[in-house]
Amino acid sequence: MTPVTELRQKLLRYAAVGSAASLGGDASLGVEVAGLRGGAWAHGNGLFPLNTDNVLLQRFRAGADQGLLLAICAGSSKDEGGCVAAGATACEYLDAFERGLLSEADVAPTLRRATLAAHDAVLKMSRQPLADLPPLHTVAGARTSLKGIGAATIAIAAVAGRLWVVHVGGCRAYLLRDGRLRKLNLEHTLSYVPEYRQMTKSDPSAAHEAADYLWTRSLGTAENAPNFDVSRMELLPGDRALVGSDALTDQLAATVTSHMPQSLEHAQKALDAALSATHLPVTFGILDVLNPGSPY
């Protein structure tokens, strides 16, 4: 059995229990546990029927506490081979948290280990034959190998009133609190490279129209893993965290603030409609910290 076939079968097992999308497939996931409620969605649209991203939503234990792991694992929307990279990344996070953690002190190192393992897994996959995969297309034509595939990721883990965030590449995370939206990460894209920002400040005409979408770091595209950080913050009842691929811009993320409070289902429909209008595959997740007695 080839590594690609093994990956496909593993993702099918996770998809069967509602923890992830299948390889190149759609997903609509929902989990509620210990005052937390999460949802994650991935699907293509008319222009991109195959979503190269993957989503995961998984319960986990950290000592006596229960938590939720939510992640977006993104492949390039212009390269269907990205579904392999995204799927391999998703499996590493799922495997790392499935065993449970001794305490919340293990959340950050587990996220770090899973991200490093994801880099190694994607790099390994990039050296494998296409095997029994259906034809994978790119904007430059059909793939003859998996060489050069890579993934971006944003993963959040919530437990006991705290949230941990790790990211590589162009994915984004936000926190909605009391109607105000706060960005939780600065994505690894050209727009945040200091030299680029300085150049465009002195010469605005030199700005690249796709700077917000050109990744400067990714998983599996170089021998050495990219640099990344794991951050931690406090969570309050009523907080809502949003994660998404690079199609989830600041403006689109703000759509969930227009009618507060919103149920998870209403927020999902609002974001789904907004993202579909961009003509890109739709991939995002929402994690709510429930208020005691709240109908939402």
Side-chain angles (χ1 to χ4, degrees):
M1 186 182 298
T2 69
V4 176
T5 301
E6 290 178 355
L7 172 65
R8 170 185 273 173
Q9 293 188 353
K10 178 180 280 191
L11 279 170
L12 283 174
R13 290 195 296 271
Y14 276 124
V17 296
S19 295
S22 58
L23 190 64
D26 294 351
S28 180
L29 313 176
V31 174
E32 183 173 339
V33 58
L36 299 168
R37 178 182 297 162
W41 299 268
H43 60 80
N45 59 34
L47 296 179
F48 294 89
L50 175 64
N51 191 340
T52 58
D53 301 337
N54 209 295
V55 294
L56 64 95
L57 184 63
Q58 183 183 47
R59 298 179 179 90
F60 70 91
R61 278 204 166 272
D65 296 315
Q66 289 187 316
L68 279 184
L69 172 70
L70 170 62
I72 304 297
C73 307
S76 170
S77 62
K78 297 181 180 180
D79 181 352
E80 292 181 349
C83 70
V84 178
T89 300
C91 283
E92 294 303 327
Y93 285 116
L94 289 162
D95 290 352
F97 279 82
E98 189 174 41
R99 295 184 290 271
L101 313 179
L102 291 177
S103 72
E104 71 167 51
D106 294 314
V107 174
T110 301
L111 282 172
R112 186 168 187 83
R113 286 194 299 269
T115 305
L116 292 171
H119 171 80
D120 291 342
V122 174
L123 188 62
K124 179 181 178 180
M125 285 293 172
S126 72
R127 296 166 175 166
Q128 301 301 318
L130 289 172
D132 60 347
L133 287 175
L136 296 175
H137 300 284
T138 75
V139 292
R143 273 191 167 276
T144 58
S145 73
L146 291 172
K147 184 178 180 180
I149 60 170
T153 185
I154 186 98
I156 60 175
V159 61
R162 293 181 177 87
L163 180 75
W164 288 260
V165 183
V166 64
H167 81 284
V168 174
C171 296
R172 300 179 170 103
Y174 302 85
L175 182 75
L176 179 63
R177 177 177 291 169
D178 296 329
R180 294 185 178 182
L181 198 66
R182 167 189 169 193
K183 199 169 188 179
L184 298 182
N185 71 307
L186 295 179
E187 56 268 27
H188 302 135
T189 59
L190 178 60
S191 59
Y192 286 106
V193 173
E195 293 81 2
Y196 173 81
R197 293 172 72 88
Q198 183 60 39
M199 177 187 70
T200 54
K201 183 177 180 180
S202 58
D203 182 12
S205 65
H208 195 294
E209 63 179 7
D212 289 342
Y213 305 99
L214 295 175
W215 303 346
T216 55
R217 302 180 197 177
S218 57
L219 299 173
T221 51
E223 198 67 34
N224 295 324
N227 293 327
F228 62 89
D229 297 313
V230 180
S231 59
R232 190 190 80 173
M233 61 172 294
E234 301 300 309
L235 284 177
L236 299 176
D239 283 352
R240 168 171 288 168
L242 312 175
V243 293
S245 59
D246 52 18
L248 182 63
T249 63
D250 297 353
Q251 293 78 13
L252 292 180
T255 61
V256 299
T257 68
S258 57
H259 298 93
M260 292 296 296
Q262 286 185 321
S263 69
L264 190 89
E265 292 74 18
H266 288 160
Q268 178 261 323
K269 290 178 181 178
L271 273 174
D272 191 60
L275 284 165
S276 294
T278 67
H279 303 298
L280 290 171
V282 174
T283 313
F284 64 93
I286 301 174
L287 188 149
D288 282 345
V289 184
L290 302 179
N291 274 311
S294 169
Y296 299 106

